[in-house]
Amino acid sequence: MEAEMLQAPLLGLGEDEEADLTDWNLPLAFMKKRHCEKIEGSKSLAQSWRMKDRMKTVSVALVLCLNVGVDPPDVVKTTPCARLECWIDPLSMGPQKALETIGANLQKQYENWQPRARYKQSLDPTVDEVKKLCTSLRRNAKEERVLFHYNGHGVPRPTVNGEIWVFNKNYTQYIPLSIYDLQTWMGSPSIFVYDCSNAGLIVKSFKQFALQREQELEVAAINPNHPLAQMPLPPSMKNCIQLAACEAAELLPMIPDLPADLFTSCLTTPIKIALRWFCMQKCVSLVPGVTLDLIEKIPGRLNDRRTPLGELNWIFTAITDTIAWNVLPRDLFQKLFRQDLLVASLFRNFLLAERIMRSYNCTPVSSPRLPPTYMHAMWQAWDLAVDICLSQLPTIIEEGTAFRHSPFFAEQLTAFQVWLTMGVENRNPPEQLPIVLQVLLSQVHRLRALDLLGRFLDLGPWAVSLALSVGIFPYVLKLLQSSARELRPLLVFIWAKILAVDSELVVALSHLVVQYESNFCTVALQFMEEEKNYPLPSPVTTDGGSLTPVRDSPCTPRLRPVSSYGNIRAVTTARNLNKSLQNLTLTEESGSPVVLSPGNLSASSSASSALGSPENEECILSFETIDKMRRVSSYSSLNSLIGVSFNSVYTQIWRVLLHLAGDPYPDVSDLAMKVLNSTAYKATVNARPQRILDTSSLTQSAPASPTNKGAHIHPVGGSPPTSSTSSSSLTNDVAKQPVSRDLPAARPGTTGTVGAQYTPHSHQFPRTRKMFDKGPDQTTDDADDAVGHKSFISAAVQTGFCDWSARYFAQPVMKIPEEHDLESQTRKEREWRFLRNTRVRRQAQQVIQRGITRLDDQIFLNRNPGVPSVVKFHPFTPCVAVADKDSICFWDWEKGEKLDYFHNGNPRYTRLTAMEYLNGQDCSLLLTATDDGAIRVWKNFADLEKNPEMVTAWQGLSDMLPTTRGAGMVVDWEQETGLLMSSGDVRIIRIWDTDREVKVQDIPTGADSCVTSLSCDSRRSLIVAGLGDGSIRVYDRRMALSECRVMTYREHTAWVVKAYLQKRPEGHIMSVSVNGDVRFFDPRMPESVNVLQIVKGLTALDIHPQANLIACGSMNQFTAIYSGSGELVNNIKYYDGFMGQRVGAISCLAFHPHWPHLAVGSNDYYISVYSVEKRVR
């Protein structure tokens, strides 16, 4: 209904009107994520960042065909011409020495990138030498990668037939070497580097031969008799990578200031050639004093980031990684830049080779082919970094001034920060992400980089996946060992984000617990200890032998033995069932024990001590099934069943599960029943006499003492076990009706019979059995029985709570909540509701101020599906909720339409006795209370698009017995504080904090009769209770329990129908008994200040909070409305209409919180709404 109203214009609202600030400041109950969301984990994204086939290049073949001093016949060189090979001039020494020196230099250049590989040189080789070299390296490399580097500057260019050239033994002829043969010798996986003219021809031929091999493999697989099938299968070339210096029709550049092996220099010495090429550009004139000779004198080492040379290498790595990540598809980036360290280095340098060689009309080629990157904007950042570095060289070398580090990384972090701050939600990934990861290597920028990285990961799972694809994992994994305390909170946040998205990493982290002292768990625990001043618990030896953490004060946790089942439910839904069993005993922050009942947010502390004593047989929950199951958990039965002391943790958990099986929240009770059924089945199976083949195991100790009780489990029936051999299962006898629009029939409880008399299962286990020993093997005599109870053997209790909790970290937590975003739809809807509330308050106040002379204009009449027992107006929408014994019907009293009707879910022998609207000013919830002490909270009621849904439920009062003549359960809700007062057929008033979802206080009433009415005022911390014995009692909840009853009035002599505390500083107490005497009390005075007499024989009564009206429902079939001074305003005896029918006996009535409207329910099923005259409205 609210959805329809949102589409309508704001009737009666002026543009200058503003919503009441009170509505904005009111807290919302049960509106946290765990109440609004479905408890399930996030859908895991397919993680492609983790390389399943990570490789290593273990062998390198360096094949140099230079033939120093002899130029090949098909190449005409310029004069002067490029001569340097591996930065060596071959003409500066003898041909053989030059060849050997060049080979040694090339190996050193490769060793800078992969020092642990096995290198083999083949200088001016023959075909046989190449074959021997390749086959040897492949044999030793096994499944790892082999690199083949070919320099063909001294031989003819490759042929179109797929051949490269080597020499004969006497160096008198050039001998062709087929690429097909080279593929066969090298195998796969391999990487090929071709530094020669027309190198693109080799790449094309390689692909053709690879396709030919694939076809041969297919033929051999289809036809086993084919000749190819009899031959050794050729290796597949799918995992081979190629890097070629130029296209098929291009020659290598011959510029004298550049090396002849320009492509090799770019791949193996990128910084040196990049600086040399930069000095050859026209822009270098802007940096005076920089020459080619000066470049050779740049101080530092490549692997030392604090030096100029090392910083340039660091920046180069970051830039090339960034270009590749932004340009390449993700899977190709992973394969080329993350799978193999040497391959990644070569491809980073290949990007530089493309930029440099394209400036000389030469296009390097790769397979797999890369998109063009030579014009990427990040190259300008590289030029700037080189410019800044080279501009300092003259003063550094000549004057010895200190080197000023480049602002490159700081500027890139700023760009990344701008992207995070200013970008729209749906945008392209930030191109600086790889640079952010490189910055993590720097202590100077690490803190800022981690902060920005955390903000990026907070954007969602997609951001985490991107960061993992870049390679964040090894960086932050290494940082876990850092001793810097300022990094710990950032690392904890980052790892929480990562683990929430990729839970498989938990396995990887688990090894760190053993390997490192500074592992993730230590970081998290130390962070909690140091940042939150939360000292870690130290184990204390106790008598109970079972330790559980408790808190005697907010910051002093300790351990003590389990003595009760307390705190088994920190939250009242299935969301915390798995968590509850880990916290069996807790104390409230004040230091006094506050025990949480299994069906409650909390329960009385007396229940805890009661459960700890075997003599106590009091039933907290009254459900028949649970009552009978609890009797099974008596002292003697449990001792026979599990052979442990009554106060052990096993006994307490068993009793907890029995109580949880009767929980008002269906998911909790269903989960508990699964565990009970499984445990009962396993216990009965273990208790059967088994055929033990080897009796020697029983000679270790004497058998258990004989007993005539056995281990009986008869959860439903109270009769002793029969001789049947079939075991029983615990079934839930509590009828839980599903939520539906129509009233469903109650689900009949199912009962089960119990198995035979069993010998105690302790006979089968020697007393020296190890702790985790499985016990003797079971025979399979009852195969059919095992199949019948297969569902009980594996009680897979899964709530999804842990996965849902982890999902919190996968979602943005730094983002402004939608309700605080001024432009969000949620915010606009709230504004609309609050403006509507303001209009309702103002217009209702205007009607009341005009004066009320009569309140008998019937504006609504309809027949309710059940006899109304409780009626409640929604404070701001034209909706009235009418409850019968176990269902709720919603009516639109303006349109006269039925909006919804659903079952409350309470057992058939209980009745609904109270209702309250929670969050009535905003997103309304309906709280219902039944006379068995259960409280349920509903949402989506009166909604045409959604079905009613239970938000939560708990046992508000745990020691109530349903009766037909008692007060049932009475509640009073205070929206301003989020406190819920509950009482009824008990001797306490229990206060719940719905924000923390815990019991706050149990106030003893000090009376032997039930509480019939509750009213509170948080500003004065007063609670007023009307009781069945006629007394009115006032409590100040700020005082100690023994002193909190500050006033008792005994002026009424009969049942108090209503006690109301006016919510204003000097507000009085108004109370009315069934005899019709109305009394006004000042809480500061010991006697009443005013007495009125109204009609006798009251069945229902309500007091309007603003209009000073009292409405009385009589058993004599009429309703009387009185003013606050006791004057009769009018009576209502007949329904409006032709031949108006006499109203039935009044069963319930209620005033609207704001309008002068009165809803009346009668025993003849009718519900009617009355208002003031139309002229007044």
Side-chain angles (χ1 to χ4, degrees):
M1 186 178 78
E2 203 168 86
E4 295 179 359
M5 297 178 66
L6 284 171
Q7 307 298 326
L10 295 177
L11 299 177
L13 287 178
E15 295 183 359
D16 57 340
E17 293 193 18
E18 295 183 1
D20 192 343
L21 290 179
T22 306
D23 290 342
W24 288 104
N25 298 329
L26 286 177
L28 296 178
F30 301 113
M31 290 298 292
K32 295 183 174 64
K33 288 187 176 181
R34 64 176 178 271
H35 303 119
C36 303
E37 296 179 356
K38 187 176 181 180
I39 302 302
E40 61 182 6
S42 58
K43 296 180 180 179
S44 57
L45 299 176
Q47 297 299 332
S48 60
W49 68 273
R50 192 181 289 104
M51 298 302 300
K52 298 179 181 179
D53 52 350
R54 186 176 294 278
M55 294 185 183
K56 182 187 294 185
T57 302
V58 297
S59 301
V60 178
L62 304 177
V63 179
L64 304 181
C65 298
L66 295 178
N67 197 12
V68 177
V70 180
D71 292 334
D74 59 347
V75 175
V76 179
K77 294 187 177 180
T78 61
T79 304
C81 183
R83 295 189 179 279
L84 298 182
E85 299 279 354
C86 296
W87 304 102
I88 300 293
D89 186 354
L91 301 182
S92 62
M93 58 190 77
Q96 186 59 33
K97 184 179 180 181
L99 183 62
E100 295 172 356
T101 305
I102 293 170
N105 261 23
L106 180 60
Q107 181 172 331
K108 289 179 181 179
Q109 292 172 189
Y110 268 109
E111 285 175 343
N112 288 331
W113 307 104
Q114 181 61 293
R116 297 183 180 180
R118 181 182 183 185
Y119 291 88
K120 290 290 184 179
Q121 300 177 26
S122 185
L123 309 178
D124 289 348
T126 63
V127 172
D128 291 337
E129 290 173 350
V130 174
K131 177 180 180 181
K132 182 178 179 181
L133 171 66
C134 295
T135 54
S136 172
L137 292 180
R138 169 48 59 197
R139 182 169 58 252
N140 293 326
K142 298 180 181 178
E143 301 299 323
E144 298 291 351
R145 182 174 274 127
V146 178
L147 186 145
F148 181 85
H149 181 99
Y150 174 72
N151 183 323
H153 294 177
V155 293
R157 289 175 283 179
T159 67
V160 293
N161 295 326
E163 298 164 328
I164 57 175
W165 299 92
V166 290
F167 303 96
N168 63 355
K169 291 184 178 181
N170 299 324
Y171 300 100
T172 58
Q173 289 181 333
Y174 299 110
I175 305 299
L177 171 61
S178 173
I179 298 298
Y180 186 90
D181 294 336
L182 184 62
Q183 289 178 342
T184 305
W185 303 334
M186 284 291 294
S188 177
S190 299
I191 178 171
F192 299 86
V193 178
Y194 314 120
D195 191 349
C196 60
S197 296
N198 303 134
L201 276 177
I202 308 177
V203 176
K204 290 182 179 180
S205 301
F206 190 99
K207 292 180 180 179
Q208 292 175 357
F209 290 138
L211 180 61
Q212 178 182 334
R213 290 175 181 275
E214 295 297 329
Q215 294 173 349
E216 291 174 357
L217 288 172
E218 293 176 2
V219 170
I222 296 175
N223 187 3
N225 298 323
H226 195 277
L228 290 174
Q230 312 302 324
M231 301 171 61
L233 293 178
S236 174
M237 295 289 109
K238 287 184 178 179
N239 291 325
C240 289
I241 299 171
Q242 300 177 84
L243 298 175
C246 57
E247 287 281 9
E250 294 176 349
L251 298 178
L252 296 179
M254 301 180 188
I255 299 172
D257 291 334
L258 294 175
D261 60 346
L262 178 60
F263 186 62
T264 299
S265 298
C266 290
L267 295 183
T268 57
T269 57
I271 303 302
K272 187 173 183 178
I273 190 63
L275 295 178
R276 193 177 187 88
W277 179 76
F278 181 81
C279 289
M280 296 172 61
Q281 307 306 304
K282 294 180 181 179
C283 61
V284 79
S285 59
L286 300 175
V287 187
V290 177
T291 61
L292 291 176
D293 295 334
L294 195 64
I295 289 176
E296 303 294 335
K297 302 177 183 179
I298 293 182
R301 301 190 309 272
L302 288 174
N303 56 0
D304 188 354
R305 293 189 296 272
R306 296 169 297 180
T307 63
L309 197 59
E311 186 178 71
L312 281 176
N313 185 53
W314 185 24
I315 294 173
F316 176 80
T317 302
I319 286 177
T320 49
D321 237 22
T322 301
I323 293 174
W325 187 75
N326 282 284
V327 172
L328 270 59
R330 293 286 176 261
D331 55 345
L332 186 59
F333 175 82
Q334 291 290 324
K335 178 181 179 181
L336 301 181
F337 287 82
R338 293 294 181 263
Q339 189 182 57
D340 186 322
L341 291 178
L342 180 57
V343 172
S345 300
L346 290 178
F347 268 94
R348 285 194 202 100
N349 303 339
F350 178 81
L351 302 183
L352 174 69
E354 183 191 15
R355 187 188 190 209
I356 292 179
M357 298 187 73
R358 273 182 176 270
S359 66
Y360 300 109
N361 300 319
C362 190
T363 306
V365 180
S366 68
S367 176
R369 197 172 189 90
L370 304 185
T373 60
Y374 66 101
M375 293 294 290
H376 197 278
M378 287 302 295
W379 285 120
Q380 298 179 15
W382 166 248
D383 290 340
L384 178 60
V386 172
D387 198 313
I388 293 174
C389 178
L390 294 184
S391 64
Q392 303 180 56
L393 275 184
T395 56
I396 292 176
I397 296 175
E398 297 172 5
E399 303 174 11
T401 57
F403 172 67
R404 298 190 311 274
H405 292 283
S406 172
F408 170 79
F409 289 107
E411 292 170 351
Q412 294 299 316
L413 285 180
T414 301
F416 186 56
Q417 184 175 357
V418 170
W419 185 93
L420 287 171
T421 308
M422 304 298 181
V424 296
E425 189 163 341
N426 298 322
R427 49 190 156 164
N428 294 326
E431 64 179 19
Q432 297 84 11
L433 191 57
I435 298 177
V436 174
L437 300 186
Q438 286 289 330
V439 176
L440 295 179
L441 299 172
S442 168
Q443 291 185 353
V444 178
H445 304 292
R446 184 174 294 158
L447 187 63
R448 183 187 178 196
L450 283 175
D451 178 52
L452 295 176
L453 181 60
R455 290 170 55 186
F456 175 72
L457 298 182
D458 188 58
L459 296 178
W462 65 269
V464 177
S465 299
L466 278 179
L468 290 173
S469 71
V470 172
I472 184 180
F473 182 72
Y475 290 83
V476 292
L477 188 62
K478 187 71 174 177
L479 286 176
L480 286 180
Q481 304 169 59
S482 172
S483 59
R485 294 187 176 184
E486 65 273 12
L487 302 182
R488 291 176 182 175
L490 296 173
L491 286 171
V492 168
F493 181 81
I494 288 172
W495 271 108
K497 288 289 182 182
I498 294 174
L499 295 177
V501 174
D502 194 341
S503 57
E504 295 180 11
L505 286 177
V506 177
V507 179
L509 280 179
S510 63
H511 300 301
L512 294 177
V513 178
V514 180
Q515 295 177 10
Y516 307 119
E517 292 181 359
S518 297
N519 54 73
F520 174 62
C521 298
T522 303
V523 169
L525 292 174
Q526 289 180 354
F527 171 68
M528 287 191 298
E529 177 184 12
E530 297 170 5
E531 301 295 333
K532 297 187 177 180
N533 191 25
Y534 196 113
L536 298 178
S538 57
V540 179
T541 305
T542 58
D543 298 331
S546 180
L547 300 178
T548 45
V550 299
R551 291 182 62 181
D552 288 342
S553 65
C555 294
T556 313
R558 63 183 180 87
L559 299 174
R560 76 177 186 191
V562 176
S563 60
S564 70
Y565 67 83
N567 197 20
I568 196 60
R569 281 194 67 201
V571 179
T572 63
T573 65
R575 304 172 172 95
N576 268 353
L577 180 59
N578 50 5
K579 182 180 178 182
S580 302
L581 294 177
Q582 302 171 11
N583 304 284
L584 288 177
T585 305
L586 285 180
T587 57
E588 188 66 16
E589 293 183 0
S590 62
S592 60
V594 177
V595 182
L596 300 188
S597 168
N600 306 6
L601 289 162
S602 308
S604 65
S605 57
S606 62
S608 169
S609 60
L611 282 174
S613 60
E615 294 81 7
N616 178 51
E617 295 296 332
E618 180 186 0
C619 298
I620 292 183
L621 295 181
S622 61
F623 301 141
E624 181 182 358
T625 304
I626 306 305
D627 180 23
K628 293 177 181 179
M629 286 195 294
R630 285 196 61 208
R631 291 191 217 129
V632 180
S633 64
S634 63
Y635 180 77
S636 59
S637 299
L638 281 176
N639 267 345
S640 301
L641 178 64
I642 59 179
V644 295
S645 64
F646 180 79
N647 286 325
S648 71
V649 66
Y650 309 107
T651 309
Q652 303 301 332
I653 292 178
W654 178 256
R655 299 179 72 89
V656 165
L657 289 172
L658 293 179
H659 284 76
L660 286 176
D663 194 271
Y665 195 84
D667 290 351
V668 173
S669 58
D670 290 344
L671 289 170
M673 286 307 304
K674 285 183 181 179
V675 179
L676 287 172
N677 281 326
S678 176
T679 305
Y681 172 72
K682 291 177 181 178
T684 54
V685 170
N686 288 338
R688 296 176 184 172
Q690 302 293 339
R691 187 176 58 210
I692 302 176
L693 302 178
D694 185 6
T695 59
S696 61
S697 61
L698 296 178
T699 63
Q700 298 182 28
S701 62
S705 301
T707 175
N708 58 356
K709 297 174 182 176
H712 308 318
I713 295 189
H714 40 89
V716 178
S719 59
T722 64
S723 59
S724 171
T725 58
S726 63
S727 63
S728 70
S729 63
L730 296 177
T731 55
N732 193 353
D733 192 41
V734 181
K736 291 193 290 285
Q737 291 84 352
V739 175
S740 63
R741 301 292 181 180
D742 301 319
L743 179 63
R747 187 177 65 195
T750 57
T751 60
T753 58
V754 182
Q757 181 88 17
Y758 298 126
T759 303
H761 71 296
S762 59
H763 281 284
Q764 304 174 36
F765 295 88
R767 295 190 178 183
T768 58
R769 185 166 67 96
K770 296 180 180 179
M771 182 180 298
F772 298 107
D773 186 14
K774 293 186 295 184
D777 294 334
Q778 304 292 337
T779 59
T780 57
D781 295 339
D782 299 334
D784 296 337
D785 183 63
V787 173
H789 294 277
K790 185 177 180 181
S791 60
F792 298 142
I793 296 177
S794 59
V797 178
Q798 296 179 347
T799 64
F801 177 74
C802 291
D803 294 336
W804 174 83
S805 299
R807 190 178 71 176
Y808 167 81
F809 295 98
Q811 298 171 344
V813 297
M814 299 181 186
K815 183 181 177 182
I816 299 177
E818 191 176 7
E819 58 269 20
H820 295 158
D821 184 357
L822 298 180
E823 300 300 324
S824 67
Q825 180 178 353
T826 302
R827 176 79 176 195
K828 296 296 184 184
E829 290 177 358
R830 294 195 74 193
E831 288 180 355
W832 183 92
R833 283 192 287 266
F834 295 163
L835 288 171
R836 173 205 62 190
N837 300 349
T838 303
R839 172 177 60 88
V840 170
R841 292 190 188 100
R842 189 190 71 251
Q843 294 181 354
Q845 191 63 33
Q846 291 173 354
V847 172
I848 293 173
Q849 289 175 354
R850 294 190 191 112
I852 300 174
T853 57
R854 296 188 66 82
L855 200 150
D856 57 356
D857 185 11
Q858 181 178 295
I859 60 175
F860 170 80
L861 175 66
N862 222 314
R863 183 178 175 86
N864 202 59
V867 176
S869 60
V870 186
V871 61
K872 197 76 175 178
F873 276 107
H874 189 281
F876 299 107
T877 63
C879 173
V880 60
V882 183
D884 51 40
K885 182 174 178 291
D886 53 9
S887 302
I888 304 109
C889 186
F890 291 88
W891 298 91
D892 185 331
W893 49 265
E894 282 188 348
K895 299 180 179 179
E897 298 175 353
K898 184 168 72 171
L899 301 174
D900 208 342
Y901 182 53
F902 63 90
H903 193 273
N904 185 53
N906 50 295
R908 56 183 174 273
Y909 47 85
T910 61
R911 59 192 175 94
L912 204 153
T913 59
M915 286 192 303
E916 289 286 350
Y917 280 104
L918 312 183
N919 314 328
Q921 82 287 356
D922 200 347
C923 300
S924 302
L925 303 175
L926 182 71
L927 180 144
T928 63
T930 50
D931 62 354
D932 60 350
I935 297 174
R936 296 169 177 84
V937 179
W938 298 89
K939 67 178 180 180
N940 300 338
F941 52 86
D943 192 329
L944 300 178
E945 298 178 356
K946 301 177 182 178
N947 288 326
E949 183 179 345
M950 187 183 293
V951 178
T952 187
W954 73 97
Q955 200 67 26
L957 297 169
S958 55
D959 48 1
M960 292 181 66
L961 292 176
T963 61
T964 56
R965 302 180 62 184
M969 187 176 185
V970 295
V971 297
D972 190 38
W973 166 247
E974 205 169 51
Q975 188 71 47
E976 294 81 0
T977 59
L979 296 180
L980 178 69
M981 321 296 166
S982 60
S983 189
D985 296 325
V986 289
R987 304 299 176 260
I988 59 170
I989 299 173
R990 180 162 294 164
I991 305 175
W992 298 97
D993 185 338
T994 58
D995 181 49
R996 293 186 296 157
E997 303 190 12
V998 294
K999 182 198 71 175
V1000 176
Q1001 204 171 6
D1002 272 352
I1003 300 176
T1005 60
D1008 293 331
S1009 60
C1010 61
V1011 176
T1012 62
S1013 179
L1014 279 176
S1015 183
C1016 63
D1017 184 0
S1018 62
R1019 293 183 178 87
R1020 293 181 285 176
S1021 298
L1022 295 182
I1023 300 175
V1024 174
L1027 280 77
D1029 60 0
S1031 63
I1032 303 295
R1033 300 177 183 237
V1034 183
Y1035 306 90
D1036 189 334
R1037 59 186 184 86
R1038 296 170 295 185
M1039 303 178 68
L1041 294 180
S1042 59
E1043 304 173 354
C1044 62
R1045 180 157 54 98
V1046 294
M1047 195 69 70
T1048 303
Y1049 303 104
R1050 303 184 184 274
E1051 300 184 17
H1052 292 293
T1053 59
W1055 182 288
V1056 175
V1057 181
K1058 181 79 172 181
Y1060 174 70
L1061 176 59
Q1062 296 174 340
K1063 294 187 178 182
R1064 54 177 184 263
E1066 303 296 330
H1068 288 179
I1069 300 170
M1070 299 176 61
S1071 62
V1072 187
S1073 71
V1074 294
N1075 291 336
D1077 55 327
V1078 181
R1079 297 185 180 267
F1080 296 82
F1081 301 96
D1082 186 332
R1084 299 167 295 182
M1085 306 298 291
E1087 297 179 351
S1088 60
V1089 295
N1090 193 13
V1091 179
L1092 302 175
Q1093 183 63 44
I1094 57 177
V1095 64
K1096 294 184 179 181
L1098 299 181
T1099 58
L1101 183 138
D1102 197 19
I1103 301 171
H1104 199 287
Q1106 300 178 29
N1108 199 23
L1109 293 176
I1110 302 173
C1112 312
S1114 172
M1115 63 181 65
N1116 297 323
Q1117 296 180 270
F1118 73 90
T1119 303
I1121 293 93
Y1122 292 87
S1123 66
S1125 59
E1127 297 179 0
L1128 178 65
V1129 176
N1130 63 270
N1131 287 328
I1132 302 174
K1133 297 183 178 181
Y1134 301 95
Y1135 297 119
D1136 286 351
F1138 178 71
M1139 297 182 65
Q1141 179 183 342
R1142 182 69 183 262
V1143 299
I1146 307 302
S1147 59
C1148 59
L1149 55 79
F1151 274 115
H1152 193 284
H1154 303 289
W1155 292 104
H1157 296 340
L1158 176 66
V1160 180
S1162 56
N1163 288 336
D1164 57 3
Y1165 290 83
Y1166 279 98
I1167 180 75
S1168 53
V1169 177
Y1170 300 94
S1171 182
V1172 296
E1173 303 96 322
K1174 291 183 180 179
R1175 61 179 181 82
V1176 179
R1177 299 202 306 269

